[in-house]
């Protein structure tokens, strides 16, 4: 447990931010120190090299005209070169054209031959400097040129560069102090940032814990970061949706129980009244039994409608799509509904503008047309009419179901697609309505990616317009 806790700390956003701050603080430092040291070294070598070369060149005339390079004694020059060499903690050599050392401030190697590429180059007229890292010496070689322009030898001057290492050492110790300061500062900043960034997240996580415990609360508005503000407001939206789903589920369950209980209660009353009375005439038995049969039919219809609705509501419910001849489908439905229409004395007229073949689920789409036409017949007056028309364009097909029946009150129109909603409760119950028909219709049309619209005037009639794509395109579920 402890191990998991410490591991989760390393995976926390606060730790990662702290790590980034530390790296951002330290890495440039680590990169810059060696680069600055290198730069300091090369600039110092170059400056010293060119200065030393200029100084060596300045001795040219003195050395050449006095014959010092060819062996003439010159105490003044001896002393001057010696003291210059000492001041540099180095050495001065004069080499003649035969590559032999003729003067040496150390007086050690006179007469020896020197073969070194820089001296050969200087014999050809080049002034050069070279830094020998192993000995820490800067070596300058310049040609000695007489008044005729001939090279008579080479002047070599060495300079100890020990001061470079000393300077670098003190530079490094300053840098180390700087590193300690920067490191401590970045650690402090990192810790503060870690606390600053992880606190609102921890707060949010605690609030989520309490929401999990009691689902009634909302996430407090978190305003420290715009991202968290947007997450908490979206989360609250989700909670709001969950609440309304929960409410509508509860309402649905209570409606279902109520609707299922009503026929049962009627049957119980009918049965009880038969059981409670003696010498009931057979006609009354028959009449009550017919009533009980009607209630059973009603109960069956409610259960069937509920099953259809549940099947459509099931998330990811599949449509069994095939190319269906819609004209034939409507013809077939109207044939089935003809007896109801005749009984209600309602005239049904069907007008098809063109043959329509569309990709639909035949069973589910039959429910759509049946419910609409059945309603138009049911909520009609004696001698009324129902007009059904079918049309299409290159993309959709359109079904219009129009009647001159009872119409729907204005304030009910927006509710008629809700489950168990009935605009006129007593009439609807009387004619066997369950209040589920239009909910089934709407779900089925939505599954086909279509739309349904209604226009109605109370006392004048209603018009239902359905629009469905000819080709079914399955919606991607993410
Ligand atoms: P029901 O089973 O009660 O018919 P529906 O869901 O099919 O349930 O319809 C809901 C309500 O909408 C009905 O109770 C009725 O009041 C109203 N309604 C539906 N179609 C029509 C129509 N063509 N004319 C008048 N009212 C209608």
């Amino acid at each position: 447990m402890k191990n998991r806790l410490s591991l989760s700390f390393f995976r926390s956003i606060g730790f990662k931010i702290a790590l980034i701050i530390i790296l951002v603080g330290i890495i440039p430092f680590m990169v810059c120190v060696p680069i600055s040291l290198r730069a300091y070294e090369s600039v110092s070598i170059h400056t010293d090299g060119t200065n030393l070369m200029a100084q060596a060149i300045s001795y040219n005339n003195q050395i050449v005209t006095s014959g010092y390079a060819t062996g003439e004694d010159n105490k003044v020059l001896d002393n001057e070169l010696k003291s210059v060499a000492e001041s540099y903690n180095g050495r001065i050599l004069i080499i003649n054209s035969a590559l032999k050392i003729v003067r040496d401030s150390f007086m050690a190697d006179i007469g020896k031959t020197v073969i070194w590429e820089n001296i050969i180059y200087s014999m050809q007229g080049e002034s050069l400097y070279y830094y020998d890292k192993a000995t820490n010496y800067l070596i300058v070689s310049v040609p000695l040129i007489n008044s005729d322009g001939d090279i008579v030898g080479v002047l070599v001057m060495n300079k100890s560069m020990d001061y470079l290492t000393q300077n670098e050492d003190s530079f490094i110790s300053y840098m180390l102090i700087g590193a300690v300061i920067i490191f401590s500062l970045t650690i402090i900043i990192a810790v503060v940032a870690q606390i600053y960034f992880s606190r609102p997240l921890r707060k949010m996580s605690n609030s989520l814990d309490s929401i999990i415990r009691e689902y009634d609360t909302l996430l407090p508005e978190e305003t420290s970061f715009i991202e968290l503000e947007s997450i908490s407001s979206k989360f609250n939206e989700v909670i709001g949706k969950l609440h309304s789903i929960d409410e509508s589920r509860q309402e649905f369950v209570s409606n279902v129980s109520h609707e299922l209980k009503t026929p049962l209660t009627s049957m119980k009353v009918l049965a009880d009244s038969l059981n409670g009375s003696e010498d009931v005439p057979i006609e009354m038995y028959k009449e009550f039994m017919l009533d009980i049969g009607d209630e059973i039919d009603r109960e069956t219809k409610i259960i069937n409608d509920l099953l259809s609705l549940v099947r459509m509501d099931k998330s990811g419910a599949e449509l069994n799509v095939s190319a269906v001849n819609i004209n034939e489908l409507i013809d077939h439905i109207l044939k089935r509904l003809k007896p109801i229409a005749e009984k209600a004395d309602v005239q049904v007229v069907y007008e098809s503008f063109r043959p329509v073949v569309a990709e639909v689920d035949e069973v589910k789409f039959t429910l759509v047309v049946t419910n609409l036409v059945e309603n138009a017949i049911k909520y009609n007056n004696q001698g009324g009419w129902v007009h059904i028309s079918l049309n299409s364009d290159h993309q959709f097909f359109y079904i219009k179901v129009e009647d001159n029946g009872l119409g729907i009150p204005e304030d009910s129109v927006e509710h008629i697609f809700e489950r168990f909603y009935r605009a006129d409760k007593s009439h609807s119950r009387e004619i066997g309505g369950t209040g589920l028909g239009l909910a089934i219709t709407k779900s089925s049309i939505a599954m086909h990616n279509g739309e349904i619209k209604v226009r109605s005037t109370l006392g004048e009639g209603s018009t239902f317009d359905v629009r469905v794509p000819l080709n079914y395109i399955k919606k991607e579920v993410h």
Side-chain angles (χ1 to χ4, degrees):
M1 178 74 189
K2 203 173 161 222
N3 201 9
R4 263 185 54 197
L5 217 84
S6 55
L7 268 181
S8 66
F9 169 73
F10 290 119
R11 287 172 53 216
S12 71
I13 189 165
F15 171 74
K16 283 179 184 158
I17 287 169
L19 194 69
I20 289 169
I21 291 175
I22 292 174
L23 291 179
V24 166
I26 300 296
I27 289 176
F29 192 79
M30 310 270 267
V31 174
C32 285
V33 168
I35 290 178
S36 334
L37 276 176
R38 248 341 90 243
Y40 168 70
E41 195 180 280
S42 83
V43 169
S44 305
I45 290 168
H46 178 73
T47 317
D48 281 13
T50 40
N51 285 345
L52 203 58
M53 270 188 326
Q55 195 175 9
I57 290 165
S58 75
Y59 287 122
N60 182 67
N61 277 354
Q62 239 179 314
I63 294 172
V64 175
T65 50
S66 64
Y68 192 65
T70 43
E72 291 292 326
D73 274 345
N74 189 330
K75 281 272 168 259
V76 181
L77 258 177
D78 269 349
N79 287 337
E80 188 169 343
L81 293 181
K82 200 167 170 225
S83 72
V84 169
E86 273 167 9
S87 74
Y88 289 145
N89 212 357
R91 186 178 185 180
I92 293 179
L93 300 170
I94 292 176
I95 293 150
N96 67 12
S97 49
L99 301 180
K100 278 215 158 57
I101 299 174
V102 288
R103 298 283 173 187
D104 178 3
S105 63
F106 281 7
M107 302 297 275
D109 293 323
I110 292 173
K112 283 189 184 164
T113 307
V114 190
I115 298 172
W116 181 44
E117 60 176 344
N118 279 26
I119 293 183
I120 313 280
Y121 283 132
S122 292
M123 277 300 180
Q124 286 160 6
E126 277 187 57
S127 297
L128 303 162
Y129 70 82
Y130 168 77
Y131 173 61
D132 183 4
K133 208 168 172 56
T135 56
N136 211 8
Y137 268 97
L138 180 68
I139 308 160
V140 157
S141 58
V142 297
L144 294 168
I145 305 166
N146 65 16
S147 52
D148 297 333
D150 298 326
I151 297 167
V152 294
V154 173
L155 173 63
V156 177
M157 285 175 88
N158 284 6
K159 181 183 178 184
S160 163
M161 296 297 277
D162 279 345
Y163 83 97
L164 254 188
T165 1
Q166 283 156 14
N167 284 357
E168 277 174 9
D169 284 349
S170 53
F171 180 78
I172 287 171
S173 31
Y174 280 122
M175 284 298 160
L176 277 177
I177 296 169
V180 171
I181 295 170
I182 288 183
F183 194 71
S184 320
L185 276 178
T186 41
I187 296 267
I188 293 169
I189 294 171
V191 169
V192 173
Q194 198 266 348
I195 294 168
Y196 178 70
F197 284 109
S198 58
R199 196 167 39 199
L201 290 172
R202 215 170 314 118
K203 231 170 83 191
M204 193 177 245
S205 160
N206 290 341
S207 312
L208 286 173
D209 278 342
S210 60
I211 290 173
I212 291 167
R213 276 196 302 276
E214 44 186 302
Y215 164 65
D216 261 2
T217 47
L218 282 181
L219 205 57
E221 194 95 321
E222 183 51 69
T223 49
S224 24
F225 304 112
I226 187 92
E227 291 85 354
L228 288 186
E229 197 179 320
S230 133
I231 288 176
S232 56
S233 84
K234 280 182 187 147
F235 185 83
N236 285 339
E237 240 173 73
V238 172
I239 292 194
K241 278 193 183 152
L242 285 179
H243 278 306
S244 77
I245 289 173
D246 204 31
E247 267 167 32
S248 81
R249 189 180 55 86
Q250 278 175 13
E251 197 188 308
F252 181 64
V253 169
S254 84
N255 281 341
V256 167
S257 341
H258 176 76
E259 294 297 327
L260 291 177
K261 254 173 80 182
T262 318
L264 287 177
T265 317
S266 308
M267 284 189 267
K268 173 101 175 108
V269 170
L270 288 166
D272 281 354
S273 59
L274 284 181
N275 289 335
S277 26
E278 276 168 30
D279 302 329
V280 184
I282 185 86
E283 291 75 24
M284 198 167 159
Y285 256 112
K286 275 191 180 159
E287 195 192 324
F288 277 32
M289 277 320 204
L290 275 178
D291 287 347
I292 291 178
D294 284 349
E295 292 301 336
I296 291 173
D297 286 347
R298 188 170 160 66
E299 184 93 31
T300 313
K301 186 162 171 24
I302 296 173
I303 291 171
N304 285 340
D305 278 1
L306 275 173
L307 283 176
S308 309
L309 202 60
V310 167
R311 258 181 238 128
M312 302 224 204
D313 270 4
K314 233 190 330 184
S315 59
E318 287 281 323
L319 277 190
N320 195 1
V321 172
S322 60
V324 175
N325 184 325
I326 306 294
N327 305 66
E328 278 176 14
L329 182 130
I330 296 178
D331 270 335
H332 188 71
I333 293 169
L334 295 186
K335 215 171 275 167
R336 269 203 296 120
L337 294 178
K338 206 171 162 207
I340 307 177
E342 277 170 2
K343 200 172 158 206
D345 189 18
V346 172
Q347 191 200 4
V348 179
V349 181
Y350 170 41
E351 185 181 14
S352 165
F353 289 92
R354 52 175 55 85
V356 176
V357 174
E359 287 174 358
V360 295
D361 180 318
E362 192 165 356
V363 177
K364 294 195 173 80
F365 202 74
T366 301
L367 287 175
V368 171
V369 182
T370 309
N371 283 333
L372 291 178
V373 178
E374 209 178 336
N375 279 350
I377 298 170
K378 280 193 310 190
Y379 302 104
N380 216 320
N381 304 305
Q382 253 194 338
W385 52 259
V386 176
H387 187 189
I388 300 130
S389 70
L390 171 68
N391 205 347
S392 71
D393 56 24
H394 64 287
Q395 215 182 343
F396 299 99
F397 69 94
Y398 306 87
I399 297 177
K400 183 191 274 193
V401 180
E402 204 176 349
D403 66 68
N404 68 336
L406 307 180
I408 305 163
E410 214 181 311
D411 53 347
S412 295
V413 173
E414 55 178 316
H415 299 294
I416 56 170
F417 295 103
E418 291 168 13
R419 297 152 172 183
F420 294 114
Y421 185 86
R422 295 161 177 134
D424 179 350
K425 287 207 177 8
S426 57
H427 185 71
S428 170
R429 264 193 64 79
E430 211 177 280
I431 57 177
T434 60
L436 292 171
L438 285 182
I440 295 169
T441 302
K442 191 165 183 185
S443 295
S444 173
I445 292 173
M447 284 178 88
H448 286 87
N449 304 322
E451 266 184 12
I452 179 162
K453 282 189 186 138
V454 57
R455 281 169 287 139
S456 186
T457 314
L458 193 62
E460 286 183 19
S462 319
T463 307
F464 287 84
D465 284 299
V466 176
R467 189 189 78 170
V468 177
L470 289 167
N471 297 311
Y472 175 69
I473 296 165
K474 194 171 180 209
K475 275 193 188 150
E476 291 294 325
V477 184
H478 294 287

